[in-house]
Amino acid sequence: MTFTGAVFFSLSVGAAALGLLAFLLVAAVFFVYLYRAWRMLSPEASLEPFLLGYGAAVFGSLASGALDHTLLTYPHAVSLLWLSLGLGAATAHMIHRMHGDFVPAEF
């Protein structure tokens, strides 16, 4: 199923409004969690490049998906999005654990 619009339009057509809302909620929680982990790091921390790299990869995928439909058209692109999101969340979780913050859902 290929659409000519943006990925968010394609997702809303294929998964309805609830699927789109769930997708956007997962992305928002990911970036909040990443930001909180980044604020805990010292400037010379060894995990900072990984944290920022995974965040940039997910942001780039979502930004390109907002303007083009190819993110959902190619299965490998979707796999890379979820892989980057998972690795970024794991890195952020390691940072939270190093600093004694075990509750990731505090906003």
Side-chain angles (χ1 to χ4, degrees), residues 70-97:
T70 57
L71 180 64
L72 292 181
T73 304
Y74 301 111
H76 61 275
V78 176
S79 298
L80 286 174
L81 168 67
W82 289 113
L83 179 68
S84 299
L85 197 137
L87 288 171
T91 305
H93 186 69
M94 287 180 3
I95 293 167
H96 281 279
R97 287 185 60 96

Side-chain angles (χ1 to χ4, degrees), residues 15-104:
L18 188 60
L20 177 64
L21 183 64
F23 179 75
L24 294 176
L25 183 66
V26 166
V29 168
F30 170 76
F31 284 116
V32 168
Y33 195 48
L34 221 67
Y35 177 74
R36 290 184 65 230
W38 183 56
R39 300 273 300 172
M40 290 181 184
L41 287 175
S42 61
E44 65 275 348
S46 62
L47 288 176
E48 186 178 26
F50 296 104
L51 188 72
L52 295 178
Y54 293 135
V58 171
F59 182 78
S61 293
L62 294 177
S64 72
L67 302 172
D68 194 11
H69 67 90
T70 57
L71 180 64
L72 292 181
T73 304
Y74 301 111
H76 61 275
V78 176
S79 298
L80 286 174
L81 168 67
W82 289 113
L83 179 68
S84 299
L85 197 137
L87 288 171
T91 305
H93 186 69
M94 287 180 3
I95 293 167
H96 281 279
R97 287 185 60 96
M98 285 185 338
H99 292 279
D101 183 16
F102 295 109
V103 184

